[in-house]
Each structure stands twice: as structure tokens, then as C-alpha cells.
Amino acid sequence: MESVIVAIDGPSGTGKSSTSRAVAAALGLSYLDTGAQYRAITWWMTSNGVDVQDPAAIATAAAKPAIVSGTDPANPTITVDGVDVTGPIRTPDVTSKVSAVSAVPEVRARITELQRSIASSAATGIVVEGRDIGTTVLPDADLKIFLTASPEARAARRSGELKGTDVAATKEALVKRDAADSSRKTSPLAKADDAVEVDTTDLTLEQVIECVVTLVEERRCATENTENTENTEKPAAR
Ligand code: DC
């Protein structure tokens, strides 16, 4: 079976992470959470006294942290300078600062390079989730999915994940972060022209996973059929 690269983009609360992990696990692919990488570099900036409101300071420090992502969908890991930051990168403090840090072009260049290198070394293929994967990081991905959902549905899901948080406050924070991520100059959150849009508002997680698994399998079949046709059309070698 050919290696396959799947890009899954969309705003937060659309079920991107759960879907991407489950699809990767179901199809025996690697999995990369690129949001975790931006959170990890944000965590490093705040832990090392870099002012996240100072783009020049962030740009200067962007190359310093060593960020390593484990790509097993059953156990995705992330370390910064050897420290496991799986928990610390999910704090409200990091969440409130990550848009500012990820808007800095030097940060994006650094993390994009890391993402391309991870994707190119995944033997059976990989599911990469983020905001700019289909548009910028992996424009030649075999399949691009753009997940959407109403702001209400997204806020309700995020509040459920962060048990006990106020849905209205979560919605406000989420809409604010989306606006920042969509309006930044360098590789904003955007749907690629050739991405398949899936509105998850009225779908269960299982339905979204099934839908994406089917799309990957269809794409794999289409690719294999094209290759077989090309092979049979080639003149026999002498
Ligand atoms: O998916 P997440 O909520 O963990 O992402 C955290 C932030 O990282 C998000 O607000 C924007 C940024 N991000 C990005 O700019 N580009 C990506 N490919 C992934 C995430």
C-alpha cells in the first residue's frame, strides 16, 4: 500500500484532534498535532522570560528550543529540551498566548520545517492536523480535509473537555482566538481550495471519523487505479 499524507485543518472545537488521532489509528498511520508544537514553543517562551507581546524577542529566540513530537496516535508525546510538556501546554495561560507566538514568521518557519521533516519520514503515511497544513505546510497532501462547526457547538465541546468551564466564556475566547489565527499575515487558518469541507455541527465524533476514513480509502483507491492505468499504458520495455 502506498504511503498517504492527510492534512486536517480547521478551527478549535471542531473535533480535529480526536478525529485525526482516530483516523491515523484506524489506518495504521502516524499522527502529528501541530497545535501542540505551537503550544510547546509558547510554553518555552513564557518559561524563559520572553515577552510574548514582543515579536522581535520571540523571533530571536525561535530557534532555541528543541521540540520533539512522538507520532504514535495511541500515545502522542511532546517534549521541549527533553522535558515532557504534554500537561503544561494545555493550561489557560499557554492557550491565551499561543496565537501571538504562532503569528511570528520566524516561529512559523521553524515549526513548518519540523513538520515537513516529520511528514516526509513517516513510513506508511501520516495524518497532520492544524490550521495551515493544506495551504502551506503540505500543499501536495494526498487528501485535505477542512473541519467546521458552529461556534455554539465548538464552545459546548471545549467546555465539556475542560470540565465545568462556562460555555459563554469559552465561546468568547474561542472566537477571539479564531479571529487572531485567521487574520495573521503569515499562513493564517484557511481552507485550501482543494480541501473537502466537513461540517461536524450535527455529527457525532464516530460519524466524523467514519466519514474521514472513507474519504482516505477512496483517495487511496483512486490513486492506485491511476497508477495501475499508467503502468498498463506504458509501452513494454525492450
Ligand atoms: O489546535 P490547538 O488549539 O492546540 O492550536 C493552538 C494554536 O496554535 C492555535 O490557536 C493556532 C496555532 N496553530 C497554528 O497557528 N498553526 C497550526 N498549524 C496549528 C496551530
Side-chain angles (χ1 to χ4, degrees), residues 12 16 34-36 38-39 90 98-99 102 108 129-133 158 177 181 184:
S12 43
K16 238 180 346 161
T34 63
Y38 286 103
R39 287 172 178 273
R90 303 287 162 193
V98 66
S99 290
S102 59
R108 298 210 74 79
E129 63 143 307
R131 304 287 191 289
D132 61 337
I133 310 305
R158 268 291 144 103
R177 192 149 63 94
D181 295 339
R184 67 169 173 244

Side-chain angles (χ1 to χ4, degrees), residues 13-91:
T14 50
K16 238 180 346 161
S17 295
S18 309
T19 302
S20 303
R21 270 183 78 171
V23 168
L27 297 172
L29 306 176
S30 298
Y31 160 71
L32 178 63
D33 174 358
T34 63
Q37 296 175 307
Y38 286 103
R39 287 172 178 273
I41 200 164
T42 303
W43 174 85
W44 185 92
M45 295 288 167
T46 55
S47 307
N48 286 273
V50 179
D51 178 2
V52 299
Q53 299 309 324
D54 182 350
I58 295 173
T60 306
K64 291 184 182 168
I67 299 170
V68 178
S69 303
T71 57
D72 177 355
N75 181 33
T77 55
I78 183 139
T79 63
V80 182
D81 296 339
V83 178
D84 178 357
V85 292
T86 313
I89 62 169
R90 303 287 162 193
T91 59

